[in-house]
Amino acid sequence: MTAKPITRRHALGLSAAALSSVLFAGCTSETADGKVQVEIVSYKQEAKSIFDQIQADFNAAHDDIVLKIDSPADAVTIMKTRFVRENYPDVIGIGGDGDYANFVDSNILADVSDYEGIGNVKKSYTDILKSVTYVPMEGIYGVPYVANAAGMLYNVDMFEEKGWPIPETWDELIELCEEIKAEGEVAPFYLGYLDTWTILSPWNSVTVNMVPSDLARQVNAGKAKFADYYGEPARRMRQMLQYSQTLLPGEPGPFAASYNDACTSFANGKSAMYPCGSFAVPQILTGNQDINVGMFAMPSADDPADRIVVSGVDLQWCVAETCPHKEAVFEVLDYLAEPENLQTYLDDQRAIPCVEGDFTLDPLFDGIQEFLDEDRVLDYLDHSYQSAMAVDAQLQTMLLDERDDDTAIAAFLERFDTDWLRYNRDVIRKVQEYESQH
């Protein structure tokens, strides 16, 4: 497969400053003393200190390879800028999302099927990467490293003190909310929907249990509509508003509270639950280091046995097709995956390993451990949404709609399907061409 950079048309979303600045010098294959240099650009800026440590340890232990890991702000924009200039890093550290799908589609990434370490990756996470691409692809274009999870965060100590059971069905969740509401001490949920992106977390967790796992692909193939499936999840999202912090005097409503407000308020015991992902826990702990946070699977499946935990590839290693020294890169990937190094990352970032092994997970994940062990996980639905659709804003509009549920939800569904066809024309064409040939 030959390398084909993203065209300048595809890079129009980049800022003028990003396109005009020389953000990285062109990488070279060897240093002045003949060592092979492996450059990684990772989008996980919050993990910079960990990668600085790993980089230093690797370089101290290797005489023939120099590792350089950059974790800049707005890394994906920087990557796209470099791709336009055909100045590729050796390894790209990104999530398993729409950017990854676009990079695969643009022939930027190398097939790493020959990397032996891929055999240690859990099948559920390689399957997730396959599900993200628009059409089935031969080969493997990313090595999953760590994952995160989303569901319902809850105050473990509060639940134990009150004797509240962990709900396993939606009716049980609503019964619990009614009990908490009747007591009047805290809110069932604290929602920070002023930042629209936070709406996607509960939407993903609720909806993934209620729709076909390949719904986006079915829609692209012309075999289904989102309106056929998204109505009931939307209704439940509106139902959750009834049990938000609006029950407490003096609290801002969900659409006046930010993500940080929600994290801090949950941390300080103003709500029993917070529908969000594991990524929020570091922010929650800044508000209260002593809070005991747990997570349970969103109880939105008809049968509790069918519950799924949303877990996406939070970080994977993708090798550029142009990389001239894959053997050195594979040695670096082996080092990153060594249990001690991976455990260091898991401890610092409260992450989930994508590879098999005897790792210690944060107690946060105790409540969903069985789901992880049994691979009962599916990817975040929004990883299939084009950013131009602004689905988070669409959801916010639907939730703010003061009309009755049926009217508000019908308007949301009509717009969603219309916008999907508008913003996915190229993808739909590609999928339907593939379907007609297979």
Side-chain angles (χ1 to χ4, degrees):
M1 183 171 62
T2 58
K4 181 179 71 176
I6 290 178
T7 65
R8 294 187 183 276
R9 178 175 63 84
H10 289 150
L12 289 177
L14 300 176
S15 68
L19 283 169
S20 63
S21 300
V22 179
L23 297 166
F24 288 98
C27 61
T28 57
S29 298
E30 293 187 357
T31 62
D33 55 0
K35 296 181 180 180
V36 174
Q37 177 171 286
V38 173
E39 182 196 16
I40 298 176
V41 175
S42 166
Y43 84 140
K44 299 295 289 184
Q45 186 183 26
E46 63 270 26
K48 182 180 184 303
S49 61
I50 292 298
F51 286 137
D52 286 347
Q53 175 186 330
I54 289 175
Q55 172 184 297
D57 292 344
F58 179 92
N59 289 335
H62 292 77
D63 296 327
D64 55 341
I65 302 173
V66 174
L67 176 61
K68 177 186 178 186
I69 306 178
D70 288 305
S71 305
D74 204 11
V76 174
T77 298
I78 290 172
M79 292 177 194
K80 292 177 181 178
T81 304
R82 293 188 58 172
F83 298 160
V84 169
R85 296 175 178 148
E86 301 187 40
N87 173 21
Y88 302 90
D90 300 303
V91 180
I92 302 157
I94 55 172
D97 53 19
D99 287 316
Y100 164 72
N102 287 329
F103 295 167
V104 173
D105 187 56
S106 298
N107 296 336
I108 287 170
L109 308 180
D111 181 359
V112 292
S113 301
D114 55 338
Y115 172 52
E116 292 185 2
I118 203 71
N120 298 324
V121 176
K122 296 178 181 178
K123 184 177 182 297
S124 56
Y125 292 111
T126 55
D127 287 346
I128 281 174
L129 288 188
K130 290 178 182 178
S131 73
V132 173
T133 56
Y134 304 130
V135 297
M137 299 285 294
E138 293 185 8
I140 298 171
Y141 298 91
V143 182
Y145 189 59
V146 294
N148 54 25
M152 188 69 77
L153 301 179
Y154 72 103
N155 187 318
V156 175
D157 293 339
M158 186 182 296
F159 266 65
E160 291 180 352
E161 178 185 343
K162 296 289 188 178
W164 294 330
I166 300 298
E168 295 186 348
T169 67
W170 192 258
D171 287 344
E172 290 176 0
L173 176 64
I174 298 305
E175 288 173 7
L176 174 60
C177 289
E178 285 289 343
E179 180 179 347
I180 296 172
K181 176 182 176 180
E183 291 185 8
E185 297 177 3
V186 300
F189 310 120
Y190 209 105
L191 306 174
Y193 289 171
L194 176 63
D195 295 318
T196 56
W197 66 268
T198 66
I199 303 173
L200 290 169
S201 188
W203 171 256
N204 285 326
S205 297
V206 169
T207 308
V208 77
N209 285 290
M210 303 179 71
V211 306
S213 59
D214 64 341
L215 178 57
R217 193 168 300 237
Q218 288 187 37
V219 173
N220 287 335
K223 299 177 181 178
K225 292 184 178 180
F226 288 102
D228 298 333
Y229 296 95
Y230 274 7
E232 284 309 305
R235 195 175 303 274
R236 289 184 174 180
M237 290 288 291
R238 284 174 67 92
Q239 186 179 19
M240 290 176 68
L241 293 175
Q242 303 172 31
Y243 302 104
S244 72
Q245 65 266 26
T246 53
L247 297 173
L248 304 177
E251 291 297 319
F255 306 101
S258 69
Y259 168 70
N260 287 345
D261 294 334
C263 289
T264 301
S265 296
F266 171 68
N268 291 325
K270 292 185 178 180
S271 73
M273 295 173 283
Y274 180 28
C276 204
S278 57
F279 55 83
V281 174
Q283 182 64 37
I284 291 168
L285 292 175
T286 63
N288 178 7
Q289 285 289 334
D290 296 326
I291 186 173
N292 186 3
V293 184
M295 178 186 289
F296 60 82
M298 186 68 76
S300 53
D302 291 337
D303 184 340
D306 294 333
R307 285 172 298 162
I308 294 293
V309 166
V310 175
S311 180
V313 176
D314 191 42
L315 178 61
Q316 62 173 323
W317 307 119
C318 302
V319 181
E321 174 66 17
T322 55
C323 177
H325 39 249
K326 286 175 67 176
E327 289 186 5
V329 165
F330 290 167
E331 188 171 342
V332 169
L333 298 188
D334 286 341
Y335 184 84
L336 290 167
E338 287 182 6
E340 180 180 355
N341 295 325
L342 181 48
Q343 186 67 60
T344 297
Y345 187 97
L346 301 180
D347 293 343
D348 185 75
Q349 295 293 304
R350 290 180 172 82
I352 300 167
C354 290
V355 300
E356 302 286 356
D358 185 17
F359 296 101
T360 300
L361 270 63
D362 191 278
L364 165 70
F365 300 112
D366 288 352
I368 62 168
Q369 187 67 58
E370 64 177 298
F371 294 86
L372 302 176
D373 292 342
E374 297 170 7
D375 284 347
R376 291 162 59 190
V377 298
L378 284 174
D379 195 20
Y380 292 78
L381 297 178
D382 64 293
H383 284 176
S384 297
Y385 301 161
Q386 295 287 346
S387 59
M389 281 185 65
V391 172
D392 53 350
Q394 290 193 37
L395 287 166
Q396 187 191 60
T397 298
M398 182 269 294
L399 294 174
L400 279 166
D401 196 323
E402 295 182 354
R403 295 175 293 180
D404 63 89
D405 283 353
D406 289 344
T407 303
I409 293 170
F412 162 70
L413 296 175
E414 181 179 4
R415 180 182 174 187
F416 197 103
D417 273 318
T418 299
D419 280 6
W420 185 273
L421 295 176
R422 175 186 176 188
Y423 290 108
N424 287 274
R425 286 189 296 249
D426 291 343
V427 173
I428 291 170
R429 174 186 53 77
K430 183 185 295 289
V431 170
Q432 294 189 0
E433 285 179 358
Y434 177 88
E435 292 283 331
S436 68
Q437 298 170 8
H438 294 80

